[in-house]
C-alpha cells in the first residue's frame, strides 16, 4: 500500500512544476495529476483499485468548468476520500471561496502561487504525517516521506513484538 | 301684438321661419293655435302628428328655417329616441326644443339633456298664455343667438343685445340695469330714508377695510377704483381689482363679519359710508331698496366669483406648466448624472489604460530577455552536450521533451500504465513517464541502465523546463499585447482591424474569470473593420463580464461572429444564465442600472450603458434579448467604422 | 485540524499467502497431533504437542497477530490441560488459575515496571537529554560520533524497549544524516542505531522480551536469576559485540576523518513531577542493581515504581493504558507455553526423540544458537524465544551444562538476529529511512550477528564458567 498525492491543476506547466518539486517523494509516494474534476475521479478510482490510499490533494482554485473548492467539498463528503488532507494551491482565491473551502471542505492548508519549493515540500511532509497519524497507519513504509520525529512516535508505541 | 305686421313685411324676402308642433291626435289643434298666437308676426306654425311626419315635412320644404320645435310626450314611449330622430335633420339640430308633458317624472330625457337639447319643459296643464309667451321667448332667444344680423332680430332686440322685452320681476329687472345706475338708484333710495349722506373723498392708498378686523359698515363706491388684497404667507396677494364692484364690505352682510380682504383705494375715490344699522334702517323703511341692494350685491359677487374661477383656472394652468418644468429639470439632472458617471468611468478606463500601457512597456524588456535566454540555453546546451559521451541521447531526449505537444493527464496516465505493464514496476514507470519515455523497448533498455536513466531524466527535466519557460513567456507576451490593445489611446480609428484578434485579446485578459465557464467560439468569416480597437476591447469586456455575472460555474458562453451583409459585421454573445427579468429588461442600457443586490456596482452597472455608447460611436447597433436560459447581446458594427465627423469629438 | 470526527475505521486486510498457509496448516497440525496415537506420550503431553505445533505455525507464519497466538496458547491450555479442561482424563491437572496467572507472572510484573519507567523517561524527555549529555564527549569525527551513538543507544536499550530506543535515536539522528554526504557514511550511521539497539537489549532482563521469556522459563524451573546476575552474564558479550559492530561499521562505511557535528542541547525538565520521576526511576534501578545485598526480587522491585508513579500521579491511568500490553501478553504466552511443555511431560518426550549424547556439546550449542539466530532473523525475536527457550531448557536436562546457560544463550541469540529489515523493529526503522540498502543490512547483520553467535556458542560458556557465574 502506497500513499498517493493528487495534483489537481489544469495548467500543464504548473502541474509539471508541482510534480517536479515533489519528485523527492516519488520514490515512496504515488504522485498523480489530474487536470479537471472528472479526471480526478478516475485517478482516485485507480488509486483505490490499486490498493493505495489517497493521502493528500493539492488543488488549484480554478479548474475548467468547476471550482477546485467544489471538488474538495465533494471529496470530503465521500467516505473513501474523506480522510485525505486537502491543500489549496492557488494564485487567487476570493474570500468567499476560501471561507467555503475551510468551512465546508475542512481545508487543511493554503499555498499561494508562486510557492517556495522547500516550503511546499515541508508542507507535504507535514500533511502526509498528519494523514498517517490520524489514520494510525504503519509509518515505516512511508517514513522517508514523513516528519520522522512525529511518525516515529507511532513506532515507539508498538514495542518489541 | 304691436308691430307684427312689420315683422311679416320684413319676412317676405327672408327664408320663412317655421315652428313645428308635434303632437298626436286632435289635441294638436288648440296647441298649434296657442303657439301661433304667441308667435304672431314672427313665424308660421306647422303641425305634425309624430316625428316621422315632421321629418317628411322638413324634407318637403328645404327652405324652411326652424327656430323652435314643440314636442308633446303624449303617446311617446321614450322621448330620447324621438329627439335623436328629429336631430337627424340638420335644420332641426339648431332648433330649440320645447317638451310638453303630462307626466310627473321623466326618466327618458338623459341623452337630450346631456346634449343640451332641452330648452324648456312645460307641464300640462299650463297657465293660460304661458305656452304662447314661452314659445315667443324661445323664438326670440333663437333669433338673437343664430341670426343676430337678421332684421327681424334687430326689431326684437335692442342695440346692447338685450331683448326689448324686459323681465317682469323686480330683482331680474334690476339686474338688467348697469352697476352705476343701480348704485345711484340705491343711494337715492337710502338718502330718501336717512337723509343726505356725505360723500367721502379719499386719496389713493387709503385702506377702507382691514383684513381680519370685524366689518360693520358698507361702503358704496361712487367713483374711483378699489383693490382687495389678502395676506398670505408668501406676502400680500391682490385678488380683485377690476372685479371689485361698487359695494365694499359685502361679506359683512353675510354671517362672516371679519374682513377677508384689505380694501385699498388705488385711485382717488368717492365713497358713501353706511353703518350696518343705518343700512338696516333704510331697508326696513323702504323694502324696495332690498332688491336694489341685492342686485348690486349679486352683480358684485358675480364679478368676484368669475374672477375667482378665472384665478382657479389660471392656477391649474400654472401648476401644470410648473409640473412640466419640474419634469424637464429632473430629466436634465438625470442626464447630467449619467454624463458625469460616464465621464468618471471613461476617466477610470483612461487611467487604467495609461497604467496598462506603462506596465506593458515595462514588461516587454524582461519578457524579451526571458525568451531570448530560453533559446540561448537551448543552443548552449547543444554545444555543451556535444562533447558528452552520451550527448546524442541527452540531446534527443531534451529536444523531444522541449517540443512535446501539451497532453492531458489522462493521456499521461495511459502512457504510464502501458509502461507499468511493460516493466512491472510502478515507481520506475512513473519516473520514465515523467521523463517522457513512451516506447516500452526504450523503457526496458533504460530500466537496465541506471546511469542512462538518470541522464534521460535530467535531459527530460531540462527540456520540460525550457518548454514551460517558452510557454510562460509566450503567454506573458500575449497578455502584454492584449493589454496594449486595450490601453491604446482612442485617437483616430484604425483600419483593417481583425475582429477575432480583438475578441481573443479580451478573452485572454479575462481568462481567469472565464476558466470556470465553458466558452464556445463560432467564428464566421468576417471582413476586417475600421474601429477604435481599445474601445471595442472595453465593449467585449463589459459584455462578457455581464454574461459571466449571470452564470453559475459550469455555465456556457457562446461567441458567434458573422457578417450579415457586405457592410456589417455582427458579434453575438450568448449565455445560458438565469436571464434578465422582463420587468427590468427595458432599463438595462441605463447607466447605474444593476441587479446586483440592488446596489450600484461601479463599472459593471454602467457596463451596458458604456457598451451602447461605444457601439453608437461606431455607428452600430446593440440589442439585448433575454429569457431564462438564454440571453443574447447582438452587436452589429459597420465595416466602415465610426462616421468621420465624430473624430474631433473627443 | 480537520473538523470532521475520525471514526474508528477498521479495515480487515486480506491474508497473505503465508498467513493462509499458517491458517490451514496450524489447525491441521493441531488436529493431527490429537488424532494420531503417539507412543510414550501421555494425554497431557499429546494435547500440549498439539498446542505447541499450532503455536509454532501461527507464530512463524504470523497468520494471526503474535499476541493473539499468545493468548490463544493460554486459552487452549486452560481448555485442554487444566482442572477445567473440557475433556478430562488428566492426572493431577494444574488449576486454570495457574495458566491465567502467567499473565501476571513476576517477569511480566518486572517488565511492567520497566515499561513504565521507559515511558516516563520519554514523557519527561529524559531519554533525549541523556543522549545529548552522553554524546558530548564524542563530538568531532564521524567515527567517534558513531561510537558515542552506539554506546548511548545500547545504554538506553538496556532499560527501554529496542523499538522505542531506535525511534528516539532516529529522531535525533535523521537531521544528522541529512548533514552527511549521501551514500556510505549515512548508511553506516543509520545502521549503527538498530545494531546498538538490538545488541543493547541483551544487557538487562528488561532490555528485550526474549530475556524475560528466558527468565520466566528459568524461574519456572526454579533456576531464578537476579537482575545483576543477568547483567553479569550478558554485559560482557554485549560490550564486545558492540565494539566489534562499531569497528565493522566504521571501517566499512564511515571514512576516517569525516567530520560530524552533533549539536544536541540537553534541557532537563525540572518540574516537580519530573524530579519525582527521576528519583523513583533512579531508586528502582539502584534496587535492581543491588539485589544481592537486599534480596528483594527484581520483579518485586519492578512493581515499586508502578505503585509509586501512579500514586504520585507522575504517571496517569492514560500512561498505563498506553503501555505495550501486546508485548507483555506475548511474553506471558511464551511463559505459559514453556510451563505447559514442562508440566505435560512433553519436554521429556522431545528429548527422547534424538540421541543427544552422540553429538558433541559444542556443536549442539552452536546448532541451538544458529537455529535461534536463523529463526529470529525471519520472525519475531520474542516469538522465536517463546518457541525455542522451552525446547532448549528441555534439552538442557539431558546435557552436562547449566540450564541457565542454555536459556540465556538462546535468548541472547534471538537478539543477535538483525540481518533483514524484518528481523527486528529497529531494523525496520533504519530501513524505512531510505539510507540503508538491504544488502548493507544483510552484510552487517551477518557479520555482527555471526560474530556474536560464535562468541556465544564457543566462548561464553567458558567465560561464564571461568568467572564462576554458573
Amino acid at each position: 500500500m502506497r500513499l498517493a498525492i493528487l495534483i489537481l491543476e489544469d495548467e500543464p506547466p504548473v502541474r509539471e512544476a508541482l510534480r517536479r518539486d515533489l519528485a523527492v517523494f516519488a520514490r515512496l509516494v504515488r504522485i498523480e495529476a489530474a487536470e479537471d474534476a472528472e479526471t480526478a475521479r478516475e485517478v482516485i478510482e485507480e488509486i483505490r483499485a490499486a490498493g493505495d490510499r489517497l493521502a493528500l490533494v493539492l488543488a488549484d482554485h480554478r479548474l475548467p468548468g468547476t471550482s477546485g473548492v467544489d471538488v474538495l467539498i465533494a471529496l470530503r463528503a465521500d467516505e473513501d476520500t474523506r480522510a485525505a488532507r486537502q491543500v489549496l494551491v492557488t494564485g487567487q482565491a476570493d474570500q468567499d471561496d476560501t471561507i467555503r473551502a475551510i468551512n465546508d471542505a475542512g481545508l487543511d492548508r493554503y499555498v499561494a502561487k508562486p510557492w517556495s519549493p522547500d516550503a511546499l515540500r515541508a508542507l507535504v511532509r507535514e500533511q502526509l504525517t498528519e494523514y498517517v497519524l490520524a489514520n494510525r497507519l504503519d509509518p515505516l513504509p512511508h517514513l522517508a516521506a514523513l516528519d520522522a520525529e512525529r511518525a516515529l512516535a507511532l513506532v515507539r508505541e508498538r514495542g518489541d513484538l | 301684438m304691436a308691430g307684427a305686421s312689420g315683422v311679416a313685411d320684413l319676412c317676405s324676402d327672408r327664408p320663412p321661419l317655421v315652428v313645428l308642433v308635434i303632437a298626436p291626435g286632435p289635441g294638436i289643434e288648440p296647441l298649434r293655435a296657442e303657439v301661433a298666437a304667441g308667435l304672431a308676426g314672427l313665424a308660421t306654425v306647422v303641425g305634425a302628428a309624430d316625428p316621422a311626419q315632421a321629418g317628411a315635412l322638413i324634407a318637403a320644404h328645404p327652405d324652411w328655417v326652424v327656430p323652435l320645435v314643440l314636442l308633446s310626450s303624449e303617446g311617446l314611449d321614450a322621448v330620447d329616441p324621438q329627439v335623436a330622430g328629429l336631430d337627424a335633420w340638420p335644420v332641426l339640430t339648431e332648433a330649440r326644443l320645447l317638451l310638453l308633458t303630462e307626466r310627473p317624472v321623466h326618466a327618458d330625457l338623459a341623452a337630450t339633456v346631456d346634449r343640451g337639447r332641452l330648452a324648456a319643459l312645460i307641464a300640462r296643464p299650463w297657465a293660460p298664455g304661458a305656452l304662447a309667451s314661452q314659445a315667443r321667448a324661445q323664438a326670440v332667444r333663437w333669433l338673437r343667438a343664430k341670426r343676430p344680423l337678421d332684421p327681424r332680430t334687430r326689431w326684437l332686440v335692442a342695440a346692447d343685445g338685450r331683448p326689448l322685452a324686459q323681465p317682469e320681476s323686480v330683482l331680474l329687472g334690476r339686474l338688467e340695469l348697469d352697476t352705476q345706475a343701480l348704485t345711484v338708484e340705491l343711494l337715492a333710495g337710502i338718502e330718501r330714508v336717512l337723509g343726505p349722506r356725505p360723500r367721502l373723498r379719499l386719496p389713493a392708498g387709503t385702506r377702507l377695510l382691514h383684513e381680519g378686523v370685524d366689518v360693520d359698515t358698507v361702503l358704496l363706491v361712487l367713483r374711483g377704483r378699489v383693490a382687495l388684497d389678502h395676506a398670505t404667507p408668501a406676502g400680500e396677494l391682490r385678488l380683485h381689482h377690476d372685479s371689485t364692484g361698487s359695494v365694499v364690505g359685502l361679506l359683512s352682510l353675510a354671517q362672516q363679519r371679519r374682513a377677508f380682504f384689505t380694501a385699498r383705494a388705488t385711485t382717488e375715490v368717492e365713497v358713501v359710508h353706511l353703518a350696518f344699522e343705518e343700512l338696516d334702517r333704510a331697508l326696513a323703511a323702504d323694502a324696495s331698496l332690498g332688491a336694489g341692494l341685492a342686485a348690486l350685491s349679486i352683480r358684485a359677487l358675480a364679478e368676484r366669483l368669475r374672477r375667482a374661477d378665472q384665478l382657479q383656472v389660471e392656477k391649474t394652468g400654472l401648476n401644470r406648466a410648473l409640473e412640466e418644468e419640474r419634469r424637464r429639470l429632473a430629466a436634465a439632472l438625470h442626464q447630467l448624472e449619467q454624463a458625469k458617471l460616464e465621464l468618471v468611468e471613461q476617466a477610470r478606463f483612461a487611467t487604467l489604460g495609461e497604467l496598462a500601457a506603462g506596465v506593458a512597456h515595462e514588461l516587454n524588456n524582461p519578457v524579451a530577455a526571458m525568451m531570448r535566454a530560453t533559446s540561448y540555453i537551448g543552443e548552449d546546451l547543444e554545444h555543451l552536450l556535444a562533447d558528452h559521451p552520451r550527448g546524442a541521447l541527452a540531446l534527443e531526449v531534451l529536444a523531444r521533451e522541449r517540443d512535446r505537444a501539451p497532453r492531458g493527464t489522462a493521456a499521461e496516465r495511459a502512457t504510464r500504465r502501458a509502461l507499468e505493464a511493460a516493466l512491472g514496476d510502478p515507481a520506475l514507470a512513473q519516473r520514465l513517464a515523467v521523463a517522457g519515455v513512451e516506447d516500452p523497448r526504450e523503457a526496458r533498455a533504460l530500466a537496465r541502465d541506471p546511469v542512462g536513466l538518470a541522464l534521460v531524466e535530467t535531459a527530460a527535466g531540462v527540456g520540460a523546463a525550457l518548454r514551460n519557460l517558452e510557454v510562460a513567456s509566450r503567454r506573458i507576451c500575449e497578455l502584454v499585447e492584449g493589454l496594449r490593445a486595450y490601453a491604446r489611446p482612442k485617437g483616430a480609428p484604425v483600419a483593417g482591424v481583425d475582429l477575432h484578434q480583438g475578441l481573443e485579446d479580451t478573452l485572454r485578459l479575462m481568462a481567469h474569470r472565464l476558466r470556470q465557464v465553458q466558452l464556445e467560439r463560432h467564428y464566421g468569416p468576417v471582413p476586417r473593420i475600421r474601429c477604435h480597437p481599445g474601445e471595442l476591447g472595453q465593449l467585449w469586456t463589459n459584455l462578457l463580464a455581464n454574461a459571466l455575472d449571470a452564470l453559475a460555474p459550469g455555465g456556457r458562453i457562446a461567441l458567434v461572429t458573422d457578417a450579415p451583409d457586405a457592410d456589417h459585421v455582427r458579434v453575438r454573445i450568448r449565455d445560458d444564465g438565469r436571464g434578465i427579468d422582463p420587468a427590468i429588461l427595458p432599463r438595462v442600457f441605463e447607466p447605474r442600472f444593476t441587479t446586483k443586490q440592488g446596489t450600484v456596482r461601479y463599472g459593471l452597472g454602467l457596463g451596458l450603458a458604456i457598451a451602447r455608447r461605444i457601439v453608437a460611436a461606431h455607428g452600430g447597433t446593440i440589442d439585448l434579448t433575454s429569457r431564462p436560459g438564454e440571453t443574447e447581446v447582438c452587436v452589429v458594427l459597420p465595416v466602415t467604422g465610426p462616421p468621420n465627423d465624430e473624430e474631433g469629438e473627443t | 485540524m480537520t473538523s470532521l470526527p475520525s471514526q474508528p475505521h477498521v479495515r480487515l486486510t486480506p491474508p497473505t499467502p503465508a498467513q493462509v498457509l499458517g491458517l490451514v496448516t496450524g489447525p491441521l497440525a493441531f488436529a493431527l497431533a490429537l488424532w494420531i496415537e503417539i507412543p510414550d506420550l501421555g494425554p497431557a503431553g499429546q494435547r500440549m504437542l498439539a498446542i505447541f505445533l499450532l503455536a509454532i505455525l501461527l507464530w512463524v507464519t504470523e497468520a494471526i497477530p503474535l499476541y493473539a497466538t499468545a493468548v490463544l496458547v493460554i486459552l487452549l491450555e486452560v481448555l485442554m490441560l487444566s482442572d477445567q479442561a473440557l475433556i478430562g482424563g488428566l492426572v493431577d491437572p494444574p488449576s486454570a488459575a495457574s495458566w491465567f496467572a502467567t499473565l501476571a507472572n513476576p517477569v511480566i510484573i518486572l517488565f511492567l515496571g520497566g515499561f513504565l519507567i521507559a515511558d516516563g523517561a520519554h514523557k519527561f524527555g529524559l531519554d533525549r537529554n541523556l543522549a545529548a549529555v552522553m554524546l558530548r564527549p564524542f563530538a568531532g569525527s564521524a567515527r567517534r560520533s558513531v561510537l558515542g551513538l552506539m554506546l548511548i543507544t545500547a545504554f538506553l536499550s538496556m532499560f527501554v524497549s529496542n523499538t522505542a530506543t531506535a525511534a528516539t535515536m532516529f529522531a535525533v539522528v535523521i537531521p544528522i544524516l541529512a548533514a552527511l554526504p549521501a551514500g556510505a557514511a549515512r548508511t553506516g550511521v543509520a545502521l549503527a542505531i538498530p545494531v546498538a539497539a538490538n545488541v543493547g537489549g541483551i544487557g538487562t532482563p528488561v532490555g528485550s522480551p526474549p530475556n524475560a521469556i528466558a527468565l520466566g522459563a528459568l524461574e519456572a524451573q526454579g533456576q531464578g536469576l537476579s537482575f545483576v546476575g543477568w547483567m553479569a552474564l550478558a554485559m560482557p558479550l554485549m560490550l564486545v559485540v558492540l565494539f566489534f559492530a562499531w569497528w565493522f561499521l566504521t571501517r566499512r562505511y564511515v571514512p576516517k576523518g569525516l567530520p560530524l557535528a552533533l549539536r544536541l542541547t540537553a534541557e532537563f525538565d525540572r518540574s516537580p513531577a519530573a524530579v519525582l520521576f527521576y528519583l523513583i526511576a533512579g531508586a528502582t534501578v539502584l534496587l535492581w542493581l543491588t539485589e544481592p545485598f537486599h534480596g528483594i526480587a527484581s520483579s518485586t522491585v519492578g512493581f515499586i515504581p508502578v505503585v509509586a508513579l501512579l500514586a504520585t500521579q507522575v504517571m496517569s491511568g492514560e500512561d498505563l493504558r498506553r503501555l505495550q500490553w501486546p508485548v507483555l501478553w506475548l511474553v506471558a504466552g511464551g511463559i505459559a507455553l514453556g510451563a505447559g511443555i514442562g508440566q505435560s511431560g512433553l519436554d521429556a518426550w522431545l528429548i527422547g526423540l534424538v540421541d543427544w549424547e552422540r553429538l558433541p556439546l559444542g556443536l549442539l550449542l552452536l546448532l541451538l544458537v544458529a537455529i535461534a539466530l536463523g529463526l529470529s532473523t525471519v520472525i519475531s525475536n520474542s516469538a522465536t524465544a517463546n518457541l525455542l527457550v522451552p525446547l532448549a531448557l528441555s534439552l538442557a536436562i539431558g546435557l552436562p551444562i547449566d540450564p541457565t546457560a542454555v536459556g540465556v544463550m538462546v535468548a541472547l541469540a534471538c537478539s543477535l538476529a538483525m540481518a533483514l529489515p524484518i528481523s527486528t523493529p529497529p531494523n525496520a526503522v533504519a530501513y524505512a529511512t531510505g539510507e540503508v540498502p538491504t544488502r548493507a543490512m544483510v552484510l552487517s547483520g551477518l557479520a555482527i550477528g555471526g560474530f556474536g553467535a560464535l562468541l556465544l556458542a564457543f566462548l561464553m560458556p567458558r567465560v561464564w564458567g571461568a568467572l564462576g557465574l554458573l
Side-chain angles (χ1 to χ4, degrees), chain C residues 107-117 206 302-303 306 320 323 325 328:
Chain C
V107 173
I108 302 292
I109 299 300
L110 173 66
F111 251 57
L112 193 64
F115 281 179
L116 208 58
I117 287 177
V206 295
F303 206 53
V306 176
L320 197 60
L323 286 182
W325 293 102
L328 292 180

Side-chain angles (χ1 to χ4, degrees), chain C residues 420-443:
Chain C
L420 290 174
I422 55 156
S423 297
T424 71
N427 278 24
V429 176
Y431 180 71
T433 60
E435 304 293 355
V436 182
T438 312
R439 238 166 55 88
M441 191 171 275
V442 170
L443 200 68

Side-chain angles (χ1 to χ4, degrees), chain B residues 248-263:
Chain B
V248 176
L250 267 178
L251 287 176
S252 64
L253 299 178
Q255 297 293 344
Q256 190 189 352
R257 308 207 65 148
R258 192 157 289 179
F260 184 64
F261 299 113
T262 295

Side-chain angles (χ1 to χ4, degrees), chain B residues 305-467:
Chain B
L305 187 62
R306 199 170 303 135
R307 170 69 183 145
D309 289 348
Q310 195 186 338
L311 280 174
Q312 181 63 32
V313 170
E314 277 173 20
K315 195 191 89 185
T316 309
L318 276 173
N319 272 348
R320 205 164 289 154
L322 211 61
E323 181 62 28
E324 176 68 17
E325 191 65 16
R326 207 187 60 75
R327 228 169 34 75
R328 283 217 307 275
L329 273 173
L333 194 65
H334 185 61
Q335 280 172 349
L336 267 175
E337 271 178 6
Q338 291 183 5
K340 191 186 107 188
L341 278 170
E342 280 203 30
L343 276 174
V344 169
E345 181 72 354
Q346 276 176 356
R348 199 169 73 108
F349 262 98
T351 317
L352 197 65
E354 281 168 28
L355 191 70
V359 170
H361 179 78
E362 288 302 320
L363 275 177
N364 264 339
N365 278 337
V367 169
M370 250 173 84
M371 292 189 86
R372 295 311 308 133
T374 310
S375 64
Y376 294 153
I377 291 174
E379 290 164 20
D380 291 349
L381 269 174
E382 275 181 41
H383 291 298
L384 210 57
L385 287 172
D387 297 333
H388 190 277
R390 300 181 70 176
L393 172 67
L395 276 176
E396 185 199 323
V397 171
L398 191 151
R400 181 174 68 193
E401 200 54 33
R402 189 186 57 205
D403 301 335
R404 179 187 297 290
R407 19 168 221 189
T409 49
E412 283 173 11
R413 273 183 302 123
T415 310
R416 210 182 61 206
R417 267 199 302 270
L419 288 176
E420 272 178 29
L423 299 173
D425 179 347
L428 186 62
Q430 178 162 342
R431 280 173 68 188
L432 286 166
V434 170
V437 176
E438 290 176 4
D439 180 12
R441 231 165 351 140
E442 186 187 348
R444 271 192 287 272
L446 284 172
R448 288 189 300 269
D449 176 11
V451 181
L453 176 60
L455 182 74
V456 166
E457 276 186 306
T458 309
V462 173
L466 284 176
R467 181 187 71 228

Side-chain angles (χ1 to χ4, degrees), chain A residues 2 10-11 13 15-16 19-20 26 30-35 39 42-43 46 60 62-66 92, chain B residues 407-410 412-413 416-417 426-427 430 434 461-462 464-465 467-468 471 475 512-513 515-516 553-554:
Chain A
R2 286 199 297 168
D10 64 328
E11 290 210 29
R15 207 160 57 216
E16 280 176 29
R19 192 198 272 280
R20 185 158 173 171
R30 176 170 178 161
I31 299 180
E32 294 284 353
E35 59 202 335
T39 320
E42 288 170 21
V43 169
E46 273 180 29
D60 186 14
R62 286 185 185 280
L63 293 171
T66 179
Q92 43 150 16
Chain B
R407 19 168 221 189
T409 49
E412 283 173 11
R413 273 183 302 123
R416 210 182 61 206
R417 267 199 302 270
Q430 178 162 342
V434 170
V462 173
R467 181 187 71 228
N468 286 337
V471 169
R475 257 185 70 189
H512 64 289
R513 292 197 64 196
R515 188 95 54 91
Q516 53 186 327

